[in-house]
Amino acid sequence: MAIIEVSGLRKAYAGKKAVDGVSFDIGEGEIFGILGPNGAGKTTTVECVAGLRRPDAGSVRVAGYDPAADRDSVTRVLGVQLQESELQPKITVREAFELYAACYPDPADWRPLAERLGLTDKLRTRFAKLSGGQKQRLSIALALVGQPAVVILDELTTGLDPRARRDTWRLIQDIRDSGVTVLLVTHFMEEAQRLCDRIALIDKGRITALDTPSGLIGRTAGSTAISFVPSAPLEAGLLAELPSVVSVTHENDRIVVHGTDETVNGVLSLLAGRGITAHQLRVTEATLDDAYLDLTGQDA
């Protein structure tokens, strides 16, 4: 059952299209990722879902509510951690938790959240004195205080060190396991591949691909690569004729063949049939970085 429904979403600024006909559904309890280059329309899309911007056309529903017309109802089911957010400079972390908790009829106990996100020893610290990573963790915690059914996380772990990033990933997985739906906007390919059930790639305001992480990776040309140094010369063209080969390149003595699992089997059979040993043999799978590059034409 879809808890978020976006259909034909369009938004332009000064005549320039930021979002151009975006449509997708998100199921209850799903972690749904949005990836794309800077300026692709990701943040505008989630701001329309959150009711922070009114779309020029199309429709958005969150738990059946229109975020623009039913703001009170949506704020009861939706938590938001924005890419950039600020609090009053002199408010302390404790005061921020207590203020946000007071806005909800049945708030979560914020103390375990503070502990989980490493903020317990910062409760008396004013917002202006927090580091960028601490502000980010506080923003995530405040988005969860209202016990939302849906949470939007825009650039979830920007500014966090590797340990804090992984701790936050575990928190998000625990949140999903409790039944909360997560809409995640990120630039971290590893984060998207690890957390998301499905991913929409947005480029130039449009969805160019929507699939599971493994499904997107499977679309990558040459999703599997086998590389080796042959023990004897290999006739030119033999490898290129094997099933599903995308490319064959030479890096000094090393040969690299891009293709599929079928290609790997073909290479090994060819070598065995000619009595050639594959030294320094390596088989690698494509990653979400590779899929992103293939599908958007841009570096991750």
Side-chain angles (χ1 to χ4, degrees):
M1 180 177 178
I3 193 168
I4 294 179
E5 301 168 278
V6 177
S7 179
L9 184 66
R10 299 180 186 276
K11 183 66 179 179
Y13 303 106
K16 183 178 180 180
K17 294 178 181 178
V19 179
D20 187 15
V22 165
S23 300
F24 59 85
D25 293 341
I26 303 176
E28 290 186 28
E30 185 176 17
I31 299 180
F32 187 91
I34 294 181
L35 297 177
N38 289 331
K42 306 184 301 296
T43 294
T44 296
T45 298
V46 297
E47 286 177 345
C48 289
V49 173
L52 300 174
R53 295 190 186 276
R54 284 183 175 270
D56 297 332
S59 65
V60 179
R61 294 291 182 272
V62 178
Y65 300 112
D66 181 338
D70 306 314
R71 293 181 64 87
D72 289 346
S73 299
V74 169
T75 55
R76 293 190 184 96
V77 298
L78 181 68
V80 182
Q81 172 257 322
L82 296 174
Q83 186 173 349
E84 295 183 11
S85 57
E86 292 290 326
L87 298 176
Q88 290 293 330
K90 292 185 178 181
I91 194 172
T92 67
V93 172
R94 177 186 291 276
E95 289 168 342
F97 276 122
E98 292 175 344
L99 175 64
Y100 272 63
C103 295
Y104 297 97
D106 184 27
D109 183 352
W110 55 262
R111 292 166 186 81
L113 280 174
E115 178 69 27
R116 187 73 181 270
L117 288 163
L119 294 169
T120 301
D121 62 348
K122 298 294 180 181
L123 293 178
R124 295 184 179 181
T125 304
R126 298 188 187 279
F127 183 78
K129 298 295 184 180
L130 297 176
S131 68
Q134 290 163 351
K135 290 179 179 178
Q136 185 79 344
R137 281 180 274 158
L138 177 59
S139 181
I140 295 168
L142 294 178
L144 300 172
V145 164
Q147 300 196 86
V150 180
V151 63
I152 294 174
L153 303 170
D154 193 354
E155 301 300 342
L156 170 68
T157 57
T158 298
L160 300 186
D161 61 62
R163 181 179 296 277
R165 181 174 297 129
R166 280 170 168 72
D167 289 344
T168 304
W169 290 349
R170 284 192 288 270
L171 172 63
I172 299 309
Q173 289 169 327
D174 290 345
I175 290 168
R176 188 272 300 278
D177 291 344
S178 71
V180 176
T181 302
V182 179
L183 174 53
L184 175 67
V185 181
T186 182
H187 276 108
F188 290 107
M189 297 298 117
E190 182 186 1
E191 181 168 282
Q193 188 168 346
R194 179 175 296 216
L195 291 179
C196 296
D197 299 301
R198 289 187 301 145
I199 296 170
L201 288 181
I202 296 183
D203 192 19
K204 298 177 183 177
R206 297 184 176 182
I207 291 181
T208 58
L210 198 166
D211 208 335
T212 63
S214 60
L216 291 175
I217 293 170
R219 301 188 195 188
T220 303
S223 59
T224 302
I226 178 171
S227 65
F228 59 94
V229 176
S231 61
L234 204 55
E235 296 94 327
L238 285 177
L239 293 170
E241 296 174 357
L242 292 173
S244 304
V245 170
V246 174
S247 66
V248 179
T249 59
H250 295 261
E251 301 173 358
N252 297 321
D253 295 333
R254 177 175 289 275
I255 297 174
V256 182
V257 184
H258 289 271
T260 66
D261 290 344
E262 184 182 9
T263 305
V264 174
N265 293 332
V267 169
L268 295 177
S269 296
L270 175 67
L271 296 177
R274 283 164 172 72
I276 297 175
T277 301
H279 297 296
Q280 302 175 34
L281 178 67
R282 298 175 189 168
V283 178
T284 58
E285 298 291 332
T287 66
L288 196 55
D289 283 285
D290 300 313
Y292 181 97
L293 183 60
D294 274 5
L295 294 167
T296 68
Q298 300 194 39
D299 289 323

